Amino acid sequence: VQLQASGGGLVQAGGSLRLSCAASGRIATINLMGWYRQVPGKQRELVAAIPNIGTTSYADSVKGRFTISRDNAKNTVNLQMNNLKAEDTGVYYCYAAIQRDWTRCPDMYWGQGTLVTVSS
């Protein structure tokens, strides 16, 4: 199983970016998908998560600005980021809790990270 993230880049404050992450390989079901971000000198922070059943969750710092969505048919998760701020700068990692077959417990998989830079 692999997760491939894309969509990072440089944007001015107030702008928007859309991150995408696609899971591939042997997948029976994906229980949870989401995004973390890493800022130098700080702990990795959970940005948003979306289960296959249930409600989405967001870090307080991004509520009202970021929207997470998933396409179960394509095994993808997206993060629409609007009204970006300088403090949103960081490396964003997608993750997924994936069952490779129905007899196994889910395992956590991570994407390679994509850099988001917001200039003020």
Side-chain angles (χ1 to χ4, degrees):
V1 175
Q2 289 187 328
L3 269 62
Q4 181 68 43
S6 61
L10 173 64
V11 64
Q12 288 187 334
S16 298
L17 282 175
R18 183 178 177 85
L19 304 183
S20 295
C21 179
S24 61
R26 181 179 177 183
I27 298 171
T29 189
I30 303 178
N31 298 328
L32 181 70
M33 303 187 84
W35 295 88
Y36 275 80
R37 67 185 176 192
Q38 180 76 60
V39 177
K42 294 187 178 181
Q43 289 188 335
R44 189 174 290 192
E45 173 190 26
L46 176 62
V47 176
I50 182 168
N52 55 357
I53 299 173
T55 58
T56 57
S57 58
Y58 296 92
D60 288 341
S61 60
V62 307
K63 284 180 180 177
R65 301 188 297 120
F66 291 11
T67 302
I68 190 170
S69 61
R70 61 187 283 177
D71 184 334
N72 291 330
K74 297 180 179 179
N75 291 331
T76 58
V77 61
N78 301 302
L79 186 67
Q80 178 66 41
M81 305 184 294
N82 298 329
N83 191 21
L84 282 159
K85 303 177 180 179
E87 51 262 42
D88 295 318
T89 294
V91 179
Y92 285 67
Y93 297 90
C94 63
Y95 73 96
I98 297 174
Q99 284 181 257
R100 296 179 62 193
D101 63 62
W102 295 103
T103 65
R104 298 168 64 103
C105 293
D107 294 311
M108 292 297 294
Y109 294 88
W110 293 87
Q112 80 279 17
T114 185
L115 178 62
V116 172
T117 304
V118 184
S119 62
S120 57

